[in-house]
Amino acid sequence: MISQTTQKPEGAPQEVKENPTPAIPKNEVAYSQQVKRSKSFQEYSLNSTISTKTLKDQLEGFVNDHKPLDLDALLQSVKSLITPGQTVIQYFDMLHNLRSIDDSVYSHSLNVAMISRILGKWLKWSRHDLDQLVLAGLLHDIGKLKIPPEVLNKEEKLTDEEFEMIRWHPRAGYELIRDLSIDSRIKKAALQHHERCNGTGYPEKATVASLEEFSMVIAIADVYDAMTAARKYRAPLCPFQVIREFERDGFHKYKTQFLLTFLQRIATTYQNNRVILNDGRAAKIILLNQTALSEPLVQLNDGSCIDLAASPLYIQSIV
């Protein structure tokens, strides 16, 4: 079982913005370039654009013009991105490489729906529950449509009043869909996706006893998608950096069973992958550390091995 207090040794850099991604060694072909050149990525990119537009039209029509939501169309917008035979690592490769700094509410919600569905499958939930979970992911941020765009997209530091407007969006989303004839878990996910099991979330500082399982799954997917997306103030985090952040204090905030399942599965998908360490050297993941998944045993090009759990080095990117 993963230690709930796993931390990087003192002095290890904490933020990507202070540690730009090292240049890919000349003998390494950037993994992202391989992904982006593939036919499957081009198809996924096109389908994702169409799905995002469908979601945008649906949500804006509902919020601004009081049009009914077409739940079947929303579900189809996600299912169109599911290709028979596609592996989990292939999906995450698509997601990570389709990023832009200006990811909208809609593309983020689409990603959260897909990530939540994957986690739900790992938890062996029924097909009906997976469909409802997808809808919860698609609608979880609908409250952001009630926030003025100049506040939602502001690059400068938010004022206290603007910050409170942002924190209001879960309650706004719940109010928007509260009276719809949909699964109550979808409504709760809109309200609770920023709550944390230890009571440090918002808007109600709810604890695990009052949180819906959907809400706790959406919370993990929401944070994972946000951390792996580029921001104006930092580069996107690679999966192992995200795992490291979750390991630091995530087990106090998220449901342990859900988070363990998610992190173990994510780490396992990258077993044997080539990576770049924060000192610029290339390596291959050869053995996962089950007590600290972000710190596997890696092998350098010269054949020597480094146990990242006993080193200040860490994985900076996947190649």
Side-chain angles (χ1 to χ4, degrees):
M1 182 172 178
I2 297 174
S3 168
Q4 297 187 14
T5 58
T6 300
Q7 292 186 350
K8 206 68 185 167
E10 286 188 10
Q14 302 295 310
E15 297 185 13
V16 174
K17 65 180 180 181
E18 296 176 358
N19 302 278
T21 302
I24 304 296
K26 291 183 179 180
N27 62 334
E28 297 284 346
V29 177
Y31 187 61
S32 62
Q33 293 178 15
Q34 298 176 42
V35 173
K36 290 177 180 178
R37 285 199 294 259
S38 69
K39 181 180 178 181
S40 59
F41 177 81
Q42 299 302 321
E43 293 175 349
Y44 181 87
S45 179
L46 175 61
N47 290 335
S48 180
T49 299
I50 295 170
S51 296
T52 301
K53 185 179 185 305
T54 296
L55 181 61
K56 182 176 186 292
D57 291 344
Q58 284 279 320
L59 297 193
E60 290 186 352
F62 174 74
V63 174
N64 300 330
D65 303 320
H66 307 292
K67 295 180 179 179
L69 288 173
D70 185 339
L71 300 183
D72 289 337
L74 289 176
L75 275 175
Q76 185 56 39
S77 71
V78 171
K79 291 181 177 180
S80 68
L81 300 176
I82 302 171
T83 302
Q86 184 182 57
T87 64
V88 171
I89 192 171
Q90 287 171 332
Y91 170 71
F92 279 106
D93 284 345
M94 305 293 181
L95 184 151
H96 294 150
N97 286 282
L98 196 60
R99 303 300 199 167
S100 72
I101 290 178
D102 297 319
D103 265 356
S104 68
V105 170
Y106 310 103
S107 57
H108 168 66
S109 296
L110 190 66
N111 291 343
V112 169
M114 283 292 291
I115 296 169
S116 297
R117 184 180 184 277
I118 289 171
L119 178 50
K121 287 191 71 174
W122 287 338
L123 294 171
K124 302 186 185 306
W125 287 3
S126 69
R127 180 174 298 180
H128 171 76
D129 281 351
L130 292 179
D131 283 350
Q132 299 309 302
L133 184 60
V134 163
L135 291 173
L138 293 174
L139 297 177
H140 82 284
D141 259 353
I142 192 172
K144 286 185 176 178
L145 274 65
K146 302 297 288 186
I147 299 174
E150 61 271 19
V151 174
L152 191 61
N153 302 317
K154 185 177 179 180
E155 296 182 25
E156 300 79 17
K157 183 178 179 179
L158 297 172
T159 65
D160 290 345
E161 181 180 2
E162 290 168 339
F163 186 64
E164 286 305 312
M165 291 176 68
I166 297 292
R167 288 171 64 92
W168 173 72
H169 83 268
R171 197 178 298 280
Y174 177 73
E175 293 295 329
L176 282 168
I177 64 176
R178 180 181 57 186
D179 296 328
L180 295 181
S181 296
I182 57 177
D183 194 310
S184 63
R185 295 173 296 179
I186 298 172
K187 303 174 187 180
K188 282 296 185 68
L191 178 65
Q192 297 180 336
H193 65 278
H194 282 291
E195 300 287 2
R196 299 295 180 254
C197 292
N198 61 353
T200 59
Y202 63 89
E204 298 179 332
K205 295 189 179 298
T207 58
V208 64
S210 59
L211 294 179
E212 288 280 356
E213 289 195 333
F214 272 29
S215 305
M216 292 187 281
V217 167
I218 297 294
I220 293 171
D222 181 51
V223 171
Y224 182 85
D225 187 64
M227 285 199 287
T228 54
R231 292 289 182 260
K232 292 180 174 65
Y233 54 87
R234 65 153 172 81
L237 303 188
C238 89
F240 282 92
Q241 289 173 303
V242 175
I243 292 172
R244 184 179 67 178
E245 292 300 318
F246 272 123
E247 286 177 328
R248 279 195 180 124
D249 63 354
F251 291 97
H252 301 293
K253 296 179 178 180
Y254 307 94
K255 186 167 181 176
T256 301
Q257 176 198 356
F258 293 175
L259 187 57
L260 271 174
T261 298
F262 186 71
L263 298 185
Q264 288 171 339
R265 291 284 193 146
I266 292 292
T268 300
T269 62
Y270 289 102
Q271 177 78 44
N272 298 319
N273 256 82
R274 293 193 63 75
V275 298
I276 300 296
L277 304 180
N278 60 308
D279 66 355
R281 286 184 290 176
K284 179 181 179 181
I285 298 172
I286 59 173
L287 182 66
L288 294 177
N289 178 353
Q290 293 300 324
T291 62
L293 290 165
S294 63
E295 300 170 335
L297 182 69
V298 299
Q299 185 176 50
L300 302 176
N301 290 341
D302 63 6
S304 62
C305 295
I306 299 176
D307 181 359
L308 295 182
S311 169
L313 297 173
Y314 59 91
I315 296 172
Q316 183 100 357
S317 61
I318 295 171
V319 296

